[in-house]
Amino acid sequence: GENVEQHPSTLSVQEGDSAVIKCTYSDSASNYFPWYKQELGKRPQLIIDIRSNVGEKKDQRIAVTLNKTAKHFSLHITETQPEDSAVYFCAAANFGNEKLTFGTGTRLTIIP
Amino acid sequence: DTAVSQTPKYLVTQMGNDKSIKCEQNLGHDTMYWYKQDSKKFLKIMFSYNNKELIINETVPNRFSPKSPDKAHLNLHINSLELGDSAVYFCASSQELSSGRSFKAFFGQGTRLTVV
């Protein structure tokens, strides 16, 4: 089955700086890679996703890159703000099966 | 107009009891899931249903039994609760994956289960 590794587990960044979170996956059949943000005591919410036929996707301050050959993908947050503080999860899925496998999460703290 | 709603939000119960968590989605999605989030925040899939049929059953003790009366509902029943069952349980839903239309999964607000 799919195995998703996520690094780092914790990340502290000065406000205004950039944050990068990296994930690797094991199943070459995976073709969909979403990122979820979970604030304290809240539900995970989708913030951006990318399909395997695309190498990069951007949405304002967040971007995701995908390297299919190396089987890794990354989340980039620029100009970080205090409200970016949360736990971020990457995930991988294959449209052929009904399963979304999550990484272990990264606790991002933005230092004012 | 909550998209995925689950009840109760908090559940405190004694070991050995049987309890249920209910989940409903009004998004018209075909696929629903149960995830368990432990104290370390790991999110692990437990079950997946597509159009009321069980698709995924991870290595979950058979004390956990999901039931889907229709494709908008997926309830989780837990028998003989144990201390290790304490966690936050999230229900989620998404469009039918095999169609490739979407795989955006939407989560409920979670149920914090505490077994004492």
Side-chain angles (χ1 to χ4, degrees), chain A residues 36 38 43 49 93 98 100, chain B residues 37 56 97 103-105 107:
Chain A
Y36 283 80
Q38 186 178 26
R43 73 190 78 192
D49 56 9
E98 312 287 326
L100 192 58
Chain B
Q37 187 170 45
I56 292 171
L97 303 181
F103 197 163
K104 296 183 194 299
F107 283 80

Side-chain angles (χ1 to χ4, degrees), chain A residues 15-65:
Chain A
E15 183 179 351
D17 288 350
S18 296
V20 181
I21 301 170
K22 298 182 179 182
C23 288
T24 59
Y25 61 99
S26 61
D27 188 353
S28 55
S30 288
N31 50 20
Y32 175 74
F33 307 93
W35 286 87
Y36 283 80
K37 175 184 180 183
Q38 186 178 26
E39 296 175 355
L40 190 62
K42 301 274 183 71
R43 73 190 78 192
Q45 292 201 294
L46 180 71
I47 54 172
I48 194 167
D49 56 9
I50 191 168
R51 297 192 184 191
S52 58
N53 57 351
V54 175
E56 184 175 354
K57 185 176 177 181
K58 232 178 182 178
D59 183 4
Q60 298 183 331
R61 296 187 298 107
I62 59 173
V64 58
T65 57

